[in-house]
Amino acid sequence: MSPSDTHDVHTLTGAYATDALPEAERRAFEEHLGDCPSCRQEVAGLVATAARLGVAAAAPAPPAMRERVLSQISTVRQVSPVVARLEDVRADIPWFRQPLAVAASLLLVLTIGLGVFAATERQRANDAEQTAARITAVVMDPDRREATQPVSSGGSGTVVMADDRAVFHAAGLPELPSDRAYQLWRIDKAGAHSLGVLGRGGDRSLQQFVEHVDSADKLGLTVEPSAGSKAPTTTPVLVLPMPA
Amino acid sequence: MRAATASNETVAHMPLLRRVPAPPALNERTSPEELLARVALGDVPAFELLYDRVASTVFGVVRRMLRDPAQSEEVAQEVMIEVWRTATRFDADRGSASTWILTMAHRRAIDRVRSSQASHDREQRVAHRDHTPAYDDVVEQVETHLDAEQVRRCLGQLTDLQRESVTLAYYNGHTYREVAELLDTPLGTVKTRLRDGLIRLRDCMGVES
């Protein structure tokens, strides 16, 4: 942008919000936005205003379009801008402790693109990514709360909670025989509700993402048959109140 | 384990926790932001609801600019799939879901408009002034929509030059240089009219800035 233009670069907010800048000028303006908080604020308001103009132009979309979109999305992979790799999440180090280090080590920018997978493969990839992304969101939440307690049989359990979501992590647990597994429970006034069978412990730490937890709930960990139980059948090795 | 908590607490009926996300039921009142958050988790029913909420606006904006129905449908379809694909990146702190989606729709349509041949043809048309000012057309369409009255009223409060600049840029997808050419007005004037016009619209519509 030439010097004669820069003094009135602020007046470009309107042209920018209406997408009326040619590509090169748009890029230059976006660079300027990076250094100009007041411009960013004005642009946000004007972009929202322009969108209102758009809302007013509504016209019924062809019904066939709906069918096509819905059938197409089943073959379109959703981008995962930031995800944690599950292997990293399983690391034995107390990763809740160092959110910034965690951010640096867990964050992985995925290739963006339309990926078409076989249905099951895609589903599995999606599930893993979604879980990892949710775990990351909880662990990185600025308002997260944490609590750690020793496990009576050895090792310790930690819960990180943000809103009604939580991540449970336990490490250093004694390894169970192959027909046994640790099972996690959410305990409320009505009793214990299974949150899943987490594994046999030992070298592998355990973790679980849970939703819809209340700060009055507790998490419990018991040793169960490897298929899991409908209700706890042994005395919990850990009862961990949700962090206040 | 029950004994650990139930000893001196009243047993109350509590909803069972389901491990798979089992969020509250979706309905027409679920906000687009909430729907988008669910879409980001791969929730197809949420996407269907969101589609029903925004498809007509997306299609309307695109068609307003491209005119050609088949091309408009193609672009609108791309936009809706893009919404699905990139819902994971929507950041509610940076604006509403509707703004996010419509901005995407507008940009896509603009890209189409400005792609090589189309842009060449359009420049020719601009040069030959075979152009009808868009305002009446816009108002006519706008009147059919719920938000029409407010937009129409607010557009009506602009000066002619502000209104023409805004509608030619936003609804017709012209660059500000083209707008200047069309309105036979200096570039600097068009820039400021676009900005002043939008600021007035913003204030008139009560958009938070």
Side-chain angles (χ1 to χ4, degrees):
Chain A
M1 207 172 277
S2 72
S4 60
D5 283 338
T6 40
H7 80 279
D8 65 0
V9 68
H10 299 279
T11 63
L12 286 176
T13 50
Y16 178 78
T18 49
D19 293 325
L21 292 178
E23 187 57 27
E25 288 178 61
R26 187 174 77 156
R27 278 201 302 270
F29 182 74
E30 283 177 344
E31 259 173 50
H32 169 72
L33 275 183
D35 305 328
C36 178
S38 65
C39 302
R40 280 202 297 277
Q41 195 189 357
E42 182 169 299
V43 159
L46 298 189
V47 166
T49 304
R52 293 280 279 274
L53 292 174
V55 169
M65 181 176 127
R66 190 178 195 275
E67 315 281 312
R68 272 198 299 277
V69 168
L70 291 179
S71 95
Q72 271 207 39
I73 62 165
S74 66
T75 66
V76 173
R77 187 174 172 280
Q78 293 182 296
V79 297
S80 307
V82 172
V83 302
R85 281 181 300 186
L86 289 182
E87 301 75 46
D88 290 343
V89 172
R90 288 197 181 103
D92 286 336
I93 44 165
W95 49 282
F96 310 98
R97 299 282 169 211
Q98 307 143 341
L100 290 176
V102 166
S105 66
L106 295 190
L107 301 189
L108 171 70
V109 177
L110 282 197
T111 312
I112 296 151
L114 298 181
V116 181
F117 297 82
T120 49
E121 189 185 351
R122 189 183 68 244
Q123 191 54 47
R124 208 180 305 128
N126 276 351
D127 289 351
E129 275 167 21
Q130 280 174 21
T131 306
R134 291 158 163 190
I135 288 175
T136 307
V138 170
V139 175
M140 301 293 291
D141 193 304
D143 297 326
R144 69 187 181 282
R145 302 180 306 281
E146 307 178 8
T148 299
Q149 236 174 256
V151 173
S152 62
S153 54
S156 65
T158 298
V159 62
V160 182
M161 185 178 181
D163 294 322
D164 67 343
R165 296 170 165 209
V167 178
F168 172 78
H169 180 89
L173 274 60
E175 184 164 359
L176 299 174
S178 58
D179 61 340
R180 299 275 134 179
Y182 291 99
Q183 188 167 0
L184 185 68
W185 309 87
R186 181 181 64 94
I187 306 166
D188 63 21
K189 289 176 181 176
H193 314 283
S194 176
L195 294 172
V197 177
L198 304 192
R200 289 168 54 204
D203 289 341
R204 310 210 75 174
S205 60
L206 311 176
Q207 69 283 314
Q208 183 66 294
F209 171 80
V210 286
E211 274 190 306
H212 311 307
V213 283
D214 190 277
S215 52
D217 293 346
K218 294 172 184 171
L219 294 181
L221 193 67
T222 59
V223 176
E224 302 292 338
S226 53
S229 303
K230 286 186 175 168
T233 60
T234 61
T235 309
V237 291
L238 173 72
V239 176
L240 184 58
M242 300 309 285
Chain B
M1 166 151 302
R2 280 169 194 280
T5 52
S7 53
N8 54 4
E9 285 168 350
T10 319
V11 174
H13 175 73
M14 298 284 283
L16 273 179
L17 175 73
R18 278 153 295 190
R19 188 178 155 214
V20 175
L26 299 170
N27 59 42
E28 305 73 42
R29 289 193 309 277
T30 312
S31 75
E33 287 74 20
E34 260 174 87
L35 289 174
L36 208 42
R38 299 275 293 273
V39 171
L41 302 178
D43 186 331
V44 173
F47 180 77
E48 289 185 40
L49 274 177
L50 185 65
Y51 180 98
D52 295 338
R53 198 79 66 81
V54 301
S56 63
T57 344
V58 166
F59 180 73
V61 166
V62 173
R63 199 191 64 178
R64 187 66 196 76
M65 210 180 311
L66 299 183
R67 303 293 178 126
D68 177 67
Q71 219 182 10
S72 304
E73 184 173 339
E74 194 183 308
V75 172
Q77 190 174 322
E78 281 171 21
V79 171
M80 291 312 302
I81 290 165
E82 193 67 6
V83 167
W84 163 263
R85 200 173 75 84
T86 60
T88 44
R89 292 190 183 168
F90 169 69
D91 179 358
D93 292 340
R94 295 175 60 188
S96 72
S98 147
T99 296
W100 186 69
I101 293 168
L102 278 193
T103 302
M104 204 186 290
H106 196 255
R107 293 231 169 120
R108 278 282 174 131
I110 290 268
D111 287 347
R112 184 62 71 102
V113 161
R114 291 188 191 156
S115 65
S116 53
Q117 188 56 43
S119 139
H120 174 74
D121 293 348
R122 225 157 36 95
E123 276 159 22
Q124 296 295 313
R125 284 203 304 279
V126 168
H128 290 97
R129 302 291 164 89
D130 70 342
H131 179 87
T132 323
Y135 180 53
D136 290 344
D137 201 2
V138 170
V139 169
E140 191 183 325
Q141 285 202 11
V142 157
E143 276 172 352
T144 63
H145 194 272
L146 281 178
D147 294 284
E149 185 50 35
Q150 187 191 45
V151 170
R152 196 188 61 78
R153 183 173 56 80
C154 291
L155 278 172
Q157 289 181 6
L158 305 186
T159 68
D160 289 348
L161 196 51
Q162 286 173 346
R163 186 173 53 243
E164 283 164 350
S165 301
V166 168
T167 54
L168 285 171
Y170 187 82
Y171 288 114
N172 291 38
H174 291 298
T175 65
Y176 76 95
R177 290 176 193 280
E178 291 168 344
V179 173
E181 178 75 27
L182 283 164
L183 298 177
D184 205 8
T185 306
L187 275 180
T189 310
V190 168
K191 284 187 218 169
T192 51
R193 294 305 175 270
L194 271 176
R195 176 171 181 251
D196 297 345
L198 274 185
I199 288 175
R200 254 203 223 190
L201 285 173
R202 178 193 71 196
D203 296 343
C204 175
M205 294 174 184
V207 174
E208 285 178 27
S209 56

Short mmCIF file of all heavy atoms in Angstrom, two decimals, chain A residues 128-156:
data_model
loop_
_atom_site.label_atom_id
_atom_site.label_comp_id
_atom_site.label_asym_id
_atom_site.label_seq_id
_atom_site.Cartn_x
_atom_site.Cartn_y
_atom_site.Cartn_z
N ALA A 128 -11.94 -40.46 17.70
CA ALA A 128 -10.69 -40.24 18.40
C ALA A 128 -10.35 -38.75 18.42
O ALA A 128 -9.97 -38.19 19.44
CB ALA A 128 -9.56 -41.03 17.74
N GLU A 129 -10.54 -38.12 17.28
CA GLU A 129 -10.21 -36.70 17.21
C GLU A 129 -11.14 -35.87 18.08
O GLU A 129 -10.72 -34.94 18.74
CB GLU A 129 -10.32 -36.21 15.77
CG GLU A 129 -9.06 -36.46 15.00
CD GLU A 129 -9.28 -36.28 13.51
OE1 GLU A 129 -10.26 -35.61 13.15
OE2 GLU A 129 -8.48 -36.82 12.75
N GLN A 130 -12.41 -36.25 18.04
CA GLN A 130 -13.35 -35.47 18.85
C GLN A 130 -13.03 -35.60 20.32
O GLN A 130 -13.02 -34.62 21.06
CB GLN A 130 -14.77 -35.96 18.59
CG GLN A 130 -15.32 -35.38 17.31
CD GLN A 130 -16.67 -35.97 16.97
OE1 GLN A 130 -17.35 -36.48 17.87
NE2 GLN A 130 -17.05 -35.89 15.74
N THR A 131 -12.74 -36.81 20.75
CA THR A 131 -12.41 -37.01 22.15
C THR A 131 -11.16 -36.22 22.50
O THR A 131 -11.11 -35.53 23.52
CB THR A 131 -12.18 -38.51 22.44
OG1 THR A 131 -13.32 -39.21 21.99
CG2 THR A 131 -11.96 -38.75 23.90
N ALA A 132 -10.16 -36.31 21.65
CA ALA A 132 -8.91 -35.60 21.92
C ALA A 132 -9.16 -34.10 21.97
O ALA A 132 -8.64 -33.39 22.84
CB ALA A 132 -7.90 -35.95 20.84
N ALA A 133 -9.98 -33.61 21.05
CA ALA A 133 -10.25 -32.16 21.02
C ALA A 133 -10.99 -31.73 22.27
O ALA A 133 -10.73 -30.67 22.84
CB ALA A 133 -11.06 -31.82 19.77
N ARG A 134 -11.90 -32.59 22.74
CA ARG A 134 -12.66 -32.24 23.95
C ARG A 134 -11.75 -32.25 25.17
O ARG A 134 -11.87 -31.40 26.05
CB ARG A 134 -13.78 -33.24 24.15
CG ARG A 134 -14.86 -33.11 23.11
CD ARG A 134 -15.59 -34.42 23.05
NE ARG A 134 -16.86 -34.28 22.40
CZ ARG A 134 -17.77 -35.25 22.39
NH1 ARG A 134 -17.53 -36.38 23.02
NH2 ARG A 134 -18.90 -35.08 21.78
N ILE A 135 -10.87 -33.23 25.22
CA ILE A 135 -9.93 -33.29 26.34
C ILE A 135 -9.08 -32.02 26.35
O ILE A 135 -8.92 -31.36 27.37
CB ILE A 135 -9.03 -34.55 26.23
CG1 ILE A 135 -9.87 -35.80 26.55
CG2 ILE A 135 -7.83 -34.45 27.16
CD1 ILE A 135 -9.11 -37.11 26.37
N THR A 136 -8.60 -31.66 25.17
CA THR A 136 -7.79 -30.45 25.07
C THR A 136 -8.57 -29.24 25.55
O THR A 136 -8.06 -28.40 26.30
CB THR A 136 -7.34 -30.24 23.61
OG1 THR A 136 -6.73 -31.44 23.15
CG2 THR A 136 -6.34 -29.10 23.52
N ALA A 137 -9.82 -29.16 25.12
CA ALA A 137 -10.62 -27.99 25.48
C ALA A 137 -10.76 -27.87 26.99
O ALA A 137 -10.67 -26.77 27.55
CB ALA A 137 -12.00 -28.07 24.82
N VAL A 138 -10.96 -28.99 27.67
CA VAL A 138 -11.10 -28.94 29.13
C VAL A 138 -9.77 -28.57 29.78
O VAL A 138 -9.71 -27.68 30.64
CB VAL A 138 -11.59 -30.31 29.67
CG1 VAL A 138 -11.51 -30.35 31.19
CG2 VAL A 138 -13.01 -30.59 29.20
N VAL A 139 -8.72 -29.22 29.34
CA VAL A 139 -7.41 -29.01 29.98
C VAL A 139 -6.91 -27.60 29.74
O VAL A 139 -6.17 -27.04 30.54
CB VAL A 139 -6.41 -30.07 29.45
CG1 VAL A 139 -5.02 -29.81 29.98
CG2 VAL A 139 -6.86 -31.45 29.86
N MET A 140 -7.31 -27.00 28.62
CA MET A 140 -6.85 -25.65 28.30
C MET A 140 -7.80 -24.57 28.79
O MET A 140 -7.53 -23.40 28.64
CB MET A 140 -6.72 -25.52 26.77
CG MET A 140 -5.77 -26.49 26.12
SD MET A 140 -4.07 -26.19 26.60
CE MET A 140 -3.82 -24.64 25.75
N ASP A 141 -8.93 -24.95 29.29
CA ASP A 141 -9.91 -23.95 29.70
C ASP A 141 -9.33 -23.06 30.80
O ASP A 141 -8.85 -23.56 31.82
CB ASP A 141 -11.18 -24.65 30.20
CG ASP A 141 -12.34 -23.68 30.34
OD1 ASP A 141 -12.18 -22.66 31.06
OD2 ASP A 141 -13.37 -23.91 29.72
N PRO A 142 -9.36 -21.74 30.60
CA PRO A 142 -8.78 -20.86 31.62
C PRO A 142 -9.50 -20.96 32.96
O PRO A 142 -8.92 -20.68 34.01
CB PRO A 142 -8.94 -19.45 31.02
CG PRO A 142 -9.85 -19.60 29.85
CD PRO A 142 -9.84 -21.01 29.42
N ASP A 143 -10.76 -21.40 32.95
CA ASP A 143 -11.51 -21.49 34.20
C ASP A 143 -11.54 -22.91 34.77
O ASP A 143 -12.36 -23.23 35.62
CB ASP A 143 -12.96 -21.02 33.98
CG ASP A 143 -13.00 -19.56 33.58
OD1 ASP A 143 -12.14 -18.80 34.08
OD2 ASP A 143 -13.85 -19.19 32.77
N ARG A 144 -10.67 -23.76 34.28
CA ARG A 144 -10.70 -25.15 34.73
C ARG A 144 -10.32 -25.25 36.21
O ARG A 144 -9.63 -24.40 36.76
CB ARG A 144 -9.71 -25.98 33.90
CG ARG A 144 -8.26 -25.63 34.21
CD ARG A 144 -7.31 -26.31 33.27
NE ARG A 144 -5.94 -25.97 33.61
CZ ARG A 144 -5.34 -24.81 33.30
NH1 ARG A 144 -6.01 -23.88 32.63
NH2 ARG A 144 -4.11 -24.58 33.68
N ARG A 145 -10.81 -26.30 36.82
CA ARG A 145 -10.46 -26.57 38.22
C ARG A 145 -9.91 -27.98 38.29
O ARG A 145 -10.29 -28.83 37.51
CB ARG A 145 -11.71 -26.42 39.10
CG ARG A 145 -12.33 -25.04 38.97
CD ARG A 145 -13.57 -24.86 39.84
NE ARG A 145 -14.60 -25.86 39.64
CZ ARG A 145 -15.45 -25.85 38.62
NH1 ARG A 145 -15.40 -24.88 37.73
NH2 ARG A 145 -16.38 -26.79 38.51
N GLU A 146 -9.02 -28.19 39.24
CA GLU A 146 -8.36 -29.50 39.31
C GLU A 146 -8.39 -30.04 40.72
O GLU A 146 -8.43 -29.28 41.69
CB GLU A 146 -6.89 -29.39 38.90
CG GLU A 146 -6.65 -28.74 37.57
CD GLU A 146 -5.15 -28.63 37.25
OE1 GLU A 146 -4.33 -29.20 38.01
OE2 GLU A 146 -4.84 -27.97 36.26
N ALA A 147 -8.36 -31.35 40.83
CA ALA A 147 -8.20 -31.99 42.14
C ALA A 147 -7.45 -33.29 41.93
O ALA A 147 -7.67 -33.98 40.95
CB ALA A 147 -9.56 -32.26 42.77
N THR A 148 -6.54 -33.59 42.86
CA THR A 148 -5.78 -34.84 42.78
C THR A 148 -5.86 -35.55 44.12
O THR A 148 -5.89 -34.90 45.17
CB THR A 148 -4.30 -34.55 42.45
OG1 THR A 148 -4.24 -33.90 41.18
CG2 THR A 148 -3.50 -35.85 42.37
N GLN A 149 -5.93 -36.86 44.07
CA GLN A 149 -5.98 -37.64 45.30
C GLN A 149 -5.23 -38.95 45.10
O GLN A 149 -5.23 -39.48 43.98
CB GLN A 149 -7.44 -37.97 45.62
CG GLN A 149 -7.87 -37.50 47.00
CD GLN A 149 -9.35 -37.72 47.19
OE1 GLN A 149 -10.13 -36.79 47.12
NE2 GLN A 149 -9.73 -38.97 47.40
N PRO A 150 -4.61 -39.46 46.15
CA PRO A 150 -3.96 -40.76 46.00
C PRO A 150 -5.00 -41.86 45.81
O PRO A 150 -6.11 -41.78 46.33
CB PRO A 150 -3.19 -40.95 47.31
CG PRO A 150 -3.74 -39.94 48.25
CD PRO A 150 -4.42 -38.87 47.47
N VAL A 151 -4.63 -42.87 45.07
CA VAL A 151 -5.45 -44.07 44.93
C VAL A 151 -5.01 -45.04 46.03
O VAL A 151 -3.81 -45.20 46.25
CB VAL A 151 -5.25 -44.69 43.53
CG1 VAL A 151 -5.95 -46.03 43.41
CG2 VAL A 151 -5.74 -43.73 42.45
N SER A 152 -5.98 -45.64 46.73
CA SER A 152 -5.64 -46.39 47.94
C SER A 152 -4.70 -47.56 47.65
O SER A 152 -3.88 -47.93 48.48
CB SER A 152 -6.91 -46.89 48.63
OG SER A 152 -7.60 -47.78 47.76
N SER A 153 -4.79 -48.12 46.45
CA SER A 153 -3.94 -49.27 46.14
C SER A 153 -2.61 -48.86 45.51
O SER A 153 -1.78 -49.71 45.20
CB SER A 153 -4.68 -50.19 45.17
OG SER A 153 -5.10 -49.46 44.04
N GLY A 154 -2.44 -47.54 45.29
CA GLY A 154 -1.19 -47.06 44.69
C GLY A 154 -1.47 -46.16 43.52
O GLY A 154 -2.48 -46.34 42.83
N GLY A 155 -0.62 -45.16 43.32
CA GLY A 155 -0.82 -44.21 42.22
C GLY A 155 -1.75 -43.08 42.64
O GLY A 155 -2.09 -42.93 43.83
N SER A 156 -2.17 -42.27 41.68
CA SER A 156 -3.06 -41.17 42.03
C SER A 156 -4.00 -40.88 40.87
O SER A 156 -3.76 -41.26 39.72
CB SER A 156 -2.23 -39.92 42.36
OG SER A 156 -1.54 -39.49 41.20
#
